[in-house]
Amino acid sequence: MNMAVKSLQSGRGNTRSGRMKEESADRTLPRLRAGGNPRPRLKWCPAPAGELNFGTSFPEPHNTRLFGDERAAKMYIWFTVLAGLALVSFSFLKTCFPHLHEDCAYILTSLKLCLRLIKYKKSKPFYSVLDHFLDAVKKHPSKILLHFEGREYTYGEVDRQSNKVARALRAEARLKEGDTVALFLTNEPCFMWTWVGVAKLGCSAALLNVNIRSKSLLHCFSCCAAKVIVASKELEGALEEVLPTLREQGISVYLLSETCSIQGINTLSDKISKASDEPLPRDLRANVTIRSTALYIYTSGTTGLPKAAVVTHERIWTACLIQAICGVTSEDVFYINLPLYHSAGFVIGMIGGMERGLTIVLRRKFSASQFWDDCRKHNVTVIQYIGETMRYLCNTPVSDSEKNHRVRIAIGNGVRTDIWTEFLNRFGDIKVRELYAATEGNIGFINYTSKIGAVGRLNFVHRYFFPYTLIKFDTEKEEPVRNAAGLCIEHLVSTGQFDRPLSCRSPFVGYAGNEQQTEKKRLRDVMKKGDLYFNTGDLLRVDDMNFVYFQDRVGDTFRWKGENVATSEVADILTMADCLFEANVYGVKVEGHEGRIGMAAVTLKEGEDFDSLHIYKLVVNYLPAYARPRFIRIQPCMEITGTFKLKKGKLVEEGFNPANIKDPLYFLDPEKKTYAPLTEDIYKAIARREIKL
């Protein structure tokens, strides 16, 4: 810098070019005038060697540097303005659209998953969840897939065991593509590889509720046309009850055991152990498509018997990707304590975990006292819940270590707002992903934000791919409200029944072997004459922020202990009693409990007294524990609607408080094994949770 300045100075007055450079530089320097007199010209002041001069000196050339300073100043001003605008815009968006980031993340994830599904649909041959699992086996055969009661099973072990199951069933039961196998299994590892083995043969699986017995059990076989039943050893007694009828129908019965003394029940474990574990050819399932039936999952039926919801391979793909939407990755450890015969535990939990390529911790039954110990032991990061299980966890004694875990996501449905809040306060910052969906339904929501109490959130992408309508519903008449033209009335932001149009993109396959109940789920002439919608049967509410809240279930079912209860099934059992003329079954709320507990209003036959002991034996022998009416109200007569339906609305509102009801009330007392009179003392004990329901 010093050399350059010196060179310029030494040339001044000696050459013409030097004078021209000086004059040119002088003209370009800014001149500040005060009173019309020009400011004295600035001169170069070279700095001593080794020093920097920050005084009035300028680097050469003068004009280039000055123009650069002006541009830099302008750019600085513009950047400042833009930064300010960005900050203001961000604050505005944050205030007006507080969930914008979450919305964008959800939309992007959903679009990517939709593209995956489209790819699978178009692939030939069809790429199923089973194919995805087999690819995972090739990718990491030694990775642990399952923890169960101290044992570990890798992806490779589960695959080889499923090959043995498939070969044993193919040899013994002569299974072929298109057949149906009923799985009557408890939560155990064999549930996983038995289903995989059945799928490798191109067969569908019917998942039977392990609590059902006798008439309901037989119905489940017949409606899905199952040819084979595979049962756990501990369910041998339930099979023996219905064995004569099964043999008459030509159903092959297999028990996962080495030995069995009951004639007509075949052992399967010994055949599996001797079978080859070599892979099976894909040709055995060559005709399976995305529209093929993969599962039959049973829901409560209003006819008194369970309904077999048909679940296609397309529906399995859609449901098992819920984990991906919730942010679950292959590095997570997923804890399943829900029954695998339900879609939540089996499809969302087990198959969803296999799709993610993660590790699953499986438990036979939910245990509140062992829950967090299991999570800590296996480094669980994702848990599954229903409203009842979360309430049980909140009822456990407070512990200093209850936040000492790695759980980051909870996926489930049915939790109350107060329980949700208490759960977060006690067990830490866990992302609760509340769902709304039905096994047979064609619509679903997910709360991908941290909004407590909501079951979902609406956005334009969801509405485009999954169109729906919120309509007014008359809870007293239990039917949609229609206008003068006979069409339903749409609710924009309010409480109503959610329904979705039926189309090729959003089909409702229906219930196997039950066209009558399938038709009841179809709602016609909703927005225009001739249209067709899926009738959810649920009341939901949408607020002004587009959050969706579950309000209530309408119709002939209610939910208790995480299970759907069909009111007419319970009523049919009650009216088997000689003393009862009519029964009207409904669910009532109990303070501090999720869902509704069963209650029945009954009328007596003329000249008969209430036989509490006989009725107790009926409900215990024919109904699972969650479906048994805990309260019975004896009425002189039943109230009916104009269409001759039994009225339930008023009964539901009145509940079971003996202080407000003049009719005789009875309480199912498991200790005395009878229906005992419901006194105010018993009612208060229930309210204080001294009596467990």
Side-chain angles (χ1 to χ4, degrees):
M1 181 176 178
N2 291 338
M3 291 178 63
V5 173
K6 286 178 181 178
S7 175
L8 179 61
Q9 288 177 335
S10 63
R12 293 180 67 178
N14 295 332
T15 64
R16 185 170 180 270
S17 61
R19 288 193 301 272
M20 290 178 64
K21 288 180 180 178
E22 180 183 7
E23 291 171 0
S24 174
D26 290 344
R27 284 195 301 269
T28 58
L29 286 173
R31 303 186 179 187
L32 300 177
R33 300 178 179 271
N37 297 320
R39 183 177 177 179
R41 181 179 300 174
L42 297 174
K43 295 184 179 180
W44 294 105
C45 299
E51 295 183 16
L52 291 176
N53 191 330
F54 294 102
T56 56
S57 62
F58 295 88
E60 183 191 19
H62 303 169
N63 58 337
T64 303
R65 177 58 186 264
L66 290 171
F67 285 148
D69 286 348
E70 288 183 357
R71 286 196 297 269
K74 290 180 179 178
M75 289 178 64
Y76 175 78
I77 293 172
W78 277 110
F79 277 127
T80 303
V81 171
L82 291 174
L85 288 174
L87 186 62
V88 172
S89 300
F90 178 78
S91 301
F92 173 77
L93 290 173
K94 189 71 175 175
T95 303
C96 297
F97 306 99
H99 304 285
L100 181 62
H101 174 73
E102 295 160 312
D103 290 336
C104 292
Y106 170 79
I107 289 169
L108 288 175
T109 302
S110 299
L111 290 175
K112 286 194 293 185
L113 294 176
C114 283
L115 291 175
R116 274 185 63 188
L117 284 180
I118 292 171
K119 178 183 175 182
Y120 297 155
K121 286 181 182 181
K122 293 182 177 180
S123 63
K124 295 188 182 302
F126 165 60
Y127 186 77
S128 66
V129 171
L130 172 60
D131 295 310
H132 190 82
F133 167 71
L134 295 177
D135 286 344
V137 172
K138 294 176 184 176
K139 184 178 179 181
H140 40 69
S142 300
K143 182 175 181 177
I144 296 174
L145 171 57
L146 195 65
H147 288 284
F148 181 77
E149 296 183 350
R151 289 201 59 185
E152 298 173 350
Y153 303 88
T154 66
Y155 275 79
E157 287 174 323
V158 171
D159 178 47
R160 290 191 294 273
Q161 192 66 16
S162 69
N163 292 336
K164 294 165 74 73
V165 170
R167 291 185 181 278
L169 286 174
R170 191 180 180 211
E172 293 294 319
R174 300 291 188 268
L175 283 178
K176 62 183 184 302
E177 184 180 28
D179 290 340
T180 300
V181 180
L183 303 183
F184 197 36
L185 305 173
T186 57
N187 278 24
E188 49 191 324
C190 67
F191 204 130
M192 178 179 286
W193 56 63
T194 301
W195 172 75
V196 174
V198 167
K200 286 180 176 180
L201 297 175
C203 300
S204 54
L207 312 184
L208 304 185
N209 187 328
V210 296
N211 295 302
I212 60 175
R213 296 292 184 271
S214 62
K215 182 182 176 182
S216 293
L217 190 56
L218 290 171
H219 168 76
C220 292
F221 298 140
S222 59
C223 66
C224 67
K227 295 184 177 181
V228 175
I229 177 173
V230 178
S232 298
K233 172 66 176 174
E234 61 194 81
L235 297 172
E236 182 179 346
L239 283 179
E240 189 176 8
E241 281 183 35
V242 296
L243 187 59
T245 306
L246 294 178
R247 296 183 68 179
E248 287 176 9
Q249 296 176 356
I251 296 174
S252 301
V253 182
Y254 292 93
L255 198 68
L256 286 174
S257 174
E258 298 280 347
T259 59
C260 182
S261 59
I262 302 173
Q263 187 176 1
I265 298 181
N266 307 295
T267 58
L268 188 61
S269 295
D270 52 334
K271 280 84 173 179
I272 293 174
S273 62
K274 296 176 183 177
S276 169
D277 64 358
E278 289 297 310
L280 284 86
R282 200 186 190 286
D283 294 344
L284 295 175
R285 50 190 173 91
N287 297 315
V288 173
T289 69
I290 197 165
R291 298 288 187 181
S292 299
T293 299
L295 299 170
Y296 295 96
I297 298 180
Y298 293 84
T299 64
S300 296
T302 56
T303 60
L305 294 169
K307 300 176 292 187
V310 179
V311 182
T312 63
H313 283 276
E314 180 180 23
R315 184 59 59 83
I316 283 186
W317 263 123
T318 303
C320 77
L321 290 176
I322 286 175
Q323 286 197 30
I325 293 176
C326 293
V328 180
T329 72
S330 60
E331 301 302 315
D332 282 305
V333 179
F334 198 99
Y335 187 51
I336 300 177
N337 51 60
L338 301 181
L340 292 178
Y341 55 76
H342 276 329
S343 54
F346 187 77
V347 183
I348 298 176
M350 194 184 82
I351 301 182
M354 294 165 70
E355 185 277 330
R356 293 281 81 192
L358 49 69
T359 298
I360 295 171
V361 178
L362 180 65
R363 189 176 179 91
R364 287 188 186 273
K365 291 182 180 180
F366 170 80
S367 170
S369 61
Q370 298 296 315
F371 187 92
W372 294 113
D373 289 339
D374 285 346
C375 291
R376 282 185 282 268
K377 178 181 178 181
H378 298 289
N379 292 319
V380 170
T381 56
V382 185
I383 61 174
Q384 226 178 348
Y385 71 88
I386 56 175
E388 279 296 299
T389 59
M390 202 171 273
R391 182 176 68 85
Y392 291 147
L393 291 175
C394 290
N395 285 341
T396 57
V398 177
S399 168
D400 293 335
S401 62
E402 57 191 24
K403 290 186 179 180
N404 179 25
H405 58 78
R406 297 180 61 189
V407 176
R408 65 186 188 89
I409 298 174
I411 302 174
N413 67 285
V415 61
R416 296 202 320 261
T417 300
D418 57 332
I419 298 296
W420 189 333
T421 303
E422 184 181 355
F423 179 83
L424 295 179
N425 290 337
R426 282 192 57 178
F427 304 110
D429 185 18
I430 299 173
K431 293 182 175 67
V432 178
R433 296 295 179 247
E434 177 83 356
L435 308 172
Y436 169 78
T439 302
E440 71 275 34
N442 67 345
I443 186 172
F445 299 102
I446 180 170
N447 183 0
Y448 50 85
T449 73
S450 300
K451 181 74 170 180
I452 293 177
V455 300
R457 178 166 165 79
L458 308 182
N459 57 67
F460 69 94
V461 172
H462 189 281
R463 181 124 197 186
Y464 176 77
F465 286 104
F466 307 101
Y468 46 81
T469 301
L470 181 66
I471 61 173
K472 286 186 177 182
F473 191 84
D474 189 327
T475 55
E476 188 66 30
K477 296 181 179 179
E478 294 188 352
E479 61 185 27
V481 177
R482 295 183 180 269
N483 58 23
L487 301 177
C488 296
I489 301 172
E490 185 175 8
H491 262 6
L492 297 179
V493 181
S494 185
T495 299
Q497 179 174 282
F498 254 100
D499 300 304
R500 186 184 177 194
L502 296 178
S503 65
C504 295
R505 197 171 68 186
S506 58
F508 165 55
V509 183
Y511 305 111
N514 198 333
E515 183 57 34
Q516 181 183 6
Q517 293 304 311
T518 298
E519 184 58 32
K520 282 187 176 182
K521 279 293 185 181
R522 294 176 177 142
L523 192 61
R524 302 178 187 276
D525 300 335
V526 178
M527 293 292 101
K528 61 182 180 180
K529 292 293 184 180
D531 63 10
L532 187 62
Y533 279 64
F534 174 75
N535 183 357
T536 64
D538 292 326
L539 295 180
L540 290 92
R541 177 174 62 86
V542 180
D543 67 11
D544 55 0
M545 292 292 290
N546 284 328
F547 283 101
V548 184
Y549 301 85
F550 179 82
Q551 296 297 104
D552 205 353
R553 178 163 299 203
V554 298
D556 299 321
T557 62
F558 60 89
R559 195 168 181 85
W560 178 249
K561 299 291 185 183
E563 301 279 357
N564 291 330
V565 181
T567 58
S568 52
E569 178 182 358
V570 180
D572 287 345
I573 299 301
L574 287 173
T575 51
M576 290 170 60
D578 294 333
C579 64
L580 297 185
F581 175 67
E582 216 170 7
N584 185 8
V585 179
Y586 49 96
V588 293
K589 286 187 175 294
V590 183
E591 187 67 29
H593 291 72
E594 300 287 344
R596 296 176 182 270
I597 196 169
M599 184 169 181
V602 300
T603 57
L604 300 174
K605 290 181 180 177
E606 190 174 351
E608 295 286 345
D609 294 324
F610 183 69
D611 191 344
S612 58
L613 183 60
H614 178 54
I615 294 174
Y616 174 85
K617 290 179 179 179
L618 277 176
V619 299
V620 169
N621 290 335
Y622 287 96
L623 293 172
Y626 62 82
R628 297 167 191 165
R630 300 304 297 265
F631 308 106
I632 290 181
R633 174 178 179 173
I634 300 177
Q635 290 190 297
C637 62
M638 295 287 186
E639 289 188 67
I640 59 174
T641 67
T643 54
F644 304 101
K645 291 182 179 179
L646 293 172
K647 285 188 175 182
K648 299 183 181 184
K650 186 178 179 182
L651 295 172
V652 170
E653 289 178 9
E654 291 177 347
F656 60 97
N657 188 347
N660 302 328
I661 299 172
K662 295 180 180 180
D663 297 329
L665 295 173
Y666 289 84
F667 165 69
L668 189 150
D669 192 331
E671 293 183 0
K672 296 180 180 179
K673 296 184 178 180
T674 186
Y675 274 96
L678 177 59
T679 64
E680 290 194 37
D681 289 338
I682 293 177
Y683 176 81
K684 291 176 181 177
I686 293 172
R688 293 192 300 265
R689 302 185 189 180
E690 295 173 1
I691 296 178
K692 292 186 177 181
L693 298 176

